[in-house]
Each structure stands twice: as structure tokens, then as C-alpha cells.
């Protein structure tokens, strides 16, 4: 059943005082439902990320599409997206600080049960939530889609609280299968409960119906795959249902 939902923008700040603007969605008249952070691709907090937040709300969760660049900046130009993303890498703490600020504002919403929170992320946003989980954030579950799996600081034994699901395209040329194996070794050594699903014939960006358009406009190796999108979302919702019940 698809629930009626409410949406609003939520303004918050990181530790350095940057204004960030999240897009919040929840079932109408929701009281203390589980919350989910939605972390965007490197394009910024765009309509795609907001759509995923609305879908989560329709499934009974409260969700916030987060702003990693400030003032909800978005672009469709890969060179601009790369520049904004790299700005967040300059300081080792920026990514986790901004993701933590988003998690705190999500937990503070009256519709959210702060004891039941999870995070999902796409591409760059997958790295964001993986680093958030590595930092020891109180997340029950994490699901990533065609994510950058590299770590600012590798996971430490006993620190990661989330169960992690990585959804990765078999034909992803940006994050190799060797990278995936390295990530699995990192999680195993840190004793993190995790699972990796390799999606057949799927490229980087497989979950986004606009991936082919963005690929053509920017000469980057992205590709939408409807079957991979469907399977990955099913696996994500199964994880959320199990961990946030």
C-alpha cells in the first residue's frame, strides 16, 4: 500500500557553519517512524534524490535527502560535480561532519524514532554513508548503489553499528571488482555484517533513469538498467524492513 505523504525542506548547519538544506518526506500524520538518510550522487541534492525520499515515505519511513554541497546546489555538468565533490575531500572531516549533521536533523524531526535510523546512498553518496557508518554513527542499516567504496579511514573492529548492503554493477568501470574485493576484506577484518550483490550487465549509475542522458552529455561511462534498479531496490527495502522493524 502506498501511503499519503508530506514533504518539507529542513535547514541545518555543519560544524563549520555551512548552511545545508535537506528535503524531508514522511507519511502524513506519522508519529515516530523509522528514519532513513538519502545521500545523493555527485550531482547534488536533485530531483532524483528527492524522489527516493518520497518513495521511502510512501513505504512508511521518514526520509531526508541530504545536502552535501550547501544551499542545495545541483548540476548536470560532470566537471562541476567533480569540483564540488573534491571540495568535500579537502578536509578529512567534512564528509562525516556534514553527514552527521544531516543524521542529527533527521533524528530531531517529530515524525522520526531516533532509535531506528538507517542510510542509503548513490555513487558519491554511497561513500558518504559508508564513511558515516565507519565513524561509528548509530545506524541500523546502510545500503549503497554503485558506490565509491574507498575509505578515508578504514573500518575498525567493533565500531561500525550498521549492517551493510552494497549493490554494485558487474560492468561498473569506475569502481572495479577488485575495489569490491578490497571493501569486502575491510569489512571482514572489522567484523562488520555485510553483503555485496553484483548486478548482472549493470554499469555505474544503474539505478538512475537519467544515467544514459548524463553519460551522453558528459562523455562518462554511466548506464541505466531497469532490472538492476528493481532488484537493488527490492534488496534495500528487505534490509530496511528487517533492521528497522
Amino acid at each position: 500500500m502506498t501511503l499519503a505523504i508530506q514533504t518539507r525542506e529542513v535547514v541545518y548547519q555543519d560544524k563549520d557553519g555551512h548552511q545545508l538544506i535537506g528535503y524531508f518526506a514522511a507519511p502524513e500524520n506519522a508519529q515516530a517512524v523509522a528514519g532513513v538518510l538519502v545521500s545523493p550522487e555527485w550531482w547534488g541534492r536533485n530531483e532524483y534524490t528527492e524522489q527516493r525520499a518520497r518513495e521511502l515515505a510512501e513505504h512508511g519511513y521518514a526520509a531526508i535527502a541530504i545536502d552535501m554541497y550547501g544551499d542545495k546546489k545541483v548540476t548536470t555538468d560532470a566537471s562541476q560535480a567533480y569540483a564540488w565533490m573534491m571540495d568535500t575531500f579537502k578536509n578529512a572531516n567534512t564528509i562525516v561532519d556534514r553527514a552527521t549533521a544531516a543524521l542529527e536533523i533527521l533524528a530531531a524531526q517529530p515524525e522520526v524514532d531516533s532509535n531506528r535510523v538507517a542510510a542509503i546512498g548513490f555513487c558519491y553518496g554511497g561513500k558518504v554513508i559508508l564513511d558515516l557508518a565507519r565513524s561509528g554513527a548509530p545506524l541500523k542499516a546502510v545500503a549503497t548503489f554503485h558506490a565509491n567504496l574507498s575509505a578515508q579511514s578504514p573500518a575498525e573492529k567493533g565500531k561500525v553499528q550498521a549492517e551493510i548492503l552494497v549493490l554494485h554493477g558487474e560492468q561498473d568501470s569506475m569502481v572495479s571488482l577488485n575495489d569490491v574485493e578490497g571493501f569486502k576484506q575491510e569489512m571482514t577484518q572489522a567484523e562488520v555484517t555485510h553483503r555485496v550483490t553484483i548486478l548482472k550487465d549493470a554499469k555505474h549509475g544503474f539505478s538512475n533513469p537519467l544515467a544514459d542522458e548524463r553519460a551522453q552529455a558528459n562523455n562518462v561511462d554511466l548506464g541505466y538498467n531497469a532490472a538492476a534498479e528493481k532488484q537493488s531496490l527490492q534488496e534495500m527495502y528487505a534490509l530496511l524492513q528487517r533492521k528497522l522493524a
Side-chain angles (χ1 to χ4, degrees):
M1 182 178 67
T2 300
L3 301 177
I5 67 170
Q6 55 177 315
T7 64
R8 61 177 178 269
E9 289 195 329
V10 180
V11 179
Y12 57 106
Q13 292 185 336
D14 66 9
K15 286 183 177 179
D16 295 325
H18 294 99
Q19 177 173 275
L20 307 167
I21 306 174
Y23 176 88
F24 180 79
E28 284 187 357
N29 305 314
Q31 294 185 354
V33 297
V36 183
L37 212 64
V38 183
S39 188
E41 298 169 292
W42 69 348
W43 311 113
R45 199 214 85 187
N46 57 14
E47 168 59 28
Y48 174 73
T49 325
E50 295 167 5
Q51 170 199 331
R52 295 304 186 197
R54 290 193 297 271
E55 289 170 355
L56 283 157
E58 289 169 352
H59 280 77
Y61 301 100
I64 187 168
I66 71 174
D67 178 9
M68 289 298 295
Y69 299 149
D71 296 321
K72 61 177 181 181
K73 293 198 296 281
V74 296
T75 185
T76 58
D77 180 76
S79 60
Q80 178 65 81
Y82 178 80
W84 285 343
M85 180 182 72
M86 293 308 293
D87 279 344
T88 69
F89 292 158
K90 289 178 180 177
N91 184 311
N93 299 320
T94 296
I95 284 178
V96 170
D97 284 350
R98 291 186 180 176
T100 299
L103 185 61
E104 289 173 350
I105 201 67
L106 171 66
Q109 301 308 301
E111 298 91 346
V112 176
D113 176 356
S114 61
N115 294 312
R116 293 187 294 143
V117 290
I120 68 170
F122 303 84
C123 186
Y124 161 71
K127 172 179 172 52
V128 168
I129 62 165
L130 287 172
D131 281 348
L132 181 62
R134 290 175 174 119
S135 77
L139 297 165
K140 299 287 189 184
V142 159
T144 70
F145 301 74
H146 38 91
N148 176 340
L149 303 173
S150 64
Q152 181 69 40
S153 299
E156 300 174 15
K157 189 180 297 184
K159 196 168 186 180
V160 176
Q161 300 182 47
E163 180 174 330
I164 295 176
L165 170 65
V166 167
L167 301 150
H168 183 79
E170 180 186 38
Q171 297 180 5
D172 192 325
S173 64
M174 298 185 186
V175 183
S176 71
L177 292 176
N178 283 337
D179 294 331
V180 173
E181 287 305 311
F183 173 80
K184 288 163 69 174
Q185 290 176 16
E186 176 198 352
M187 293 295 110
T188 298
Q189 290 171 2
E191 298 181 357
V192 178
T193 301
H194 67 283
R195 182 163 60 88
V196 176
T197 296
I198 304 298
L199 297 150
K200 186 178 179 182
D201 299 328
K203 290 186 174 185
H204 198 81
F206 63 78
S207 72
N208 191 335
L210 295 177
D212 295 323
E213 177 184 316
R214 298 281 166 82
Q216 185 174 8
N218 291 281
N219 193 30
V220 290
D221 192 20
L222 306 174
Y224 173 61
N225 184 306
E229 177 196 27
K230 181 179 179 180
Q231 180 183 343
S232 61
L233 288 172
Q234 287 175 339
E235 293 197 22
M236 177 203 76
Y237 278 112
L239 174 67
L240 295 181
Q241 185 175 23
R242 181 164 51 82
K243 299 298 293 186
L244 298 179

